[in-house]
Amino acid sequence: MRIGLLGGSFDPVHKGHIAIAKEAIKDLHLDAFHFIPTKNNPWKDTCVASAKDRMAMLQIAIDDARMSVDPIECDSRNNEKNYTIHTLEALCSAHPDDEFYFLMGMDQACAFEKWVEAKKISEMVQLVAFNRSGYPEDHQNLETYHFIKLDNQPMHASSTEIKAGDLSMIAPPVLHYASMHGLYIDTMIRPRLSEKRYQHSLSVAKLTAEFAQSNGADPLKGYIAGVMHDVAKELDHDLAKKMMKAYYPDHLDSSRPIWHQWLSSYVAKHEFYIDDEEILKAIEDHTTASTSMTTLGKCLYCADKLDPLRGYDSSAGIALCNKDIDAGFASQLIQFYEFSKKKNRPIDEIFFTIYKKYVKE
């Protein structure tokens, strides 16, 4: 068999990985193509996602029966850095009758002489280079190490850019998995928020997870809800108004500062593919609360109000919420009511229904 190999962290796998595999299968007439996620990449210090999660996302991304995920490196009990030479030695020994084509981008091909046992690798397998944006399409190493060169459109997709917020490079099913496992979302939201709002979101995520853990709710859901609760807080006003008209017309007359609780839920669902109704409901309730608060919703509501970054001593409130979130939530409603009365701020009529249910009753 003619088998293509592509190693890497795949943290996460992106559309470019799948596209280049398809190109290689076609141009090199391959019978199979194996993705080999590394356990300990010698070129990188750490991975955000675990080996288990990275393999799971690869399985989701694969859309061709000839493609598969080879766990040879991830299943290794050795926690040292993974070097390609060792993986290829194992594969060639186990499959002596197969012909392997080892792919790498031109970024790596241009530095291939630095790889451990580079010459030996070039003698064991057929090396294949593909174009990547920002790197030359030719290099002396191609001749020195007998590369085949794919004539592909330069690949610009990057796992680093996905983690920095470019969601166009990741397939929706993979993004759904990542979001629902709390992977990368803390950095993917960063371009959407000011630094102060971003740090607030991370702080609220941590506190919501803490409250959830203390009160029998799912801390992962708490973390996800906390990260996403203000993701639409700083949307352009005209865009926010357009979205409110289209998706939440019943709330269009609500105060502008609270639109984001509905819009953040929308963005979480439709742009980050978060489909857990409990998380989405918690986000929708985090500013005004509602008469149908879940435990998770109470955790987020209180974490948002008690965030230590707000600049006042909230330690007593945090301790109460960790002990009893129902009591902590009622306490926050009381404080909101008393503060609003003291400052002569208008209070929405629905608040009194909420107050009656969770405080008076």
Side-chain angles (χ1 to χ4, degrees), residues 232 235-249 252 259 262-264 266-267 270-271:
L235 278 178
D236 172 77
H237 174 76
D238 291 338
L239 175 59
K241 187 173 184 179
K242 182 178 179 181
M243 292 174 67
M244 288 297 294
K245 284 182 177 179
Y247 307 118
Y248 302 100
L252 186 59
W259 283 0
W262 297 292
L263 297 180
S264 292
Y266 180 90
V267 169
H270 295 279
E271 295 184 32

Side-chain angles (χ1 to χ4, degrees), residues 236-301:
D236 172 77
H237 174 76
D238 291 338
L239 175 59
K241 187 173 184 179
K242 182 178 179 181
M243 292 174 67
M244 288 297 294
K245 284 182 177 179
Y247 307 118
Y248 302 100
D250 292 345
H251 299 295
L252 186 59
D253 292 334
S254 299
S255 173
R256 169 69 177 90
I258 67 172
W259 283 0
H260 75 280
Q261 68 178 16
W262 297 292
L263 297 180
S264 292
S265 179
Y266 180 90
V267 169
K269 182 174 183 178
H270 295 279
E271 295 184 32
F272 288 84
Y273 298 97
I274 294 169
D275 57 2
D276 183 280
E277 291 302 325
E278 188 178 16
I279 294 174
L280 299 175
K281 179 71 164 57
I283 296 172
E284 285 195 5
D285 289 345
H286 84 266
T287 300
T288 59
S290 74
T291 56
S292 55
M293 297 292 289
T294 64
T295 297
L296 187 70
K298 293 175 183 178
C299 290
L300 177 58
Y301 181 92

Side-chain angles (χ1 to χ4, degrees), residues 5-7 84 88 100-104 115 125-129:
L5 305 174
L6 181 62
T84 299
L88 293 179
F100 292 107
Y101 292 73
F102 189 83
L103 276 72
M104 67 182 71
W115 286 38
V125 299
Q126 174 60 64
L127 294 173
V128 182

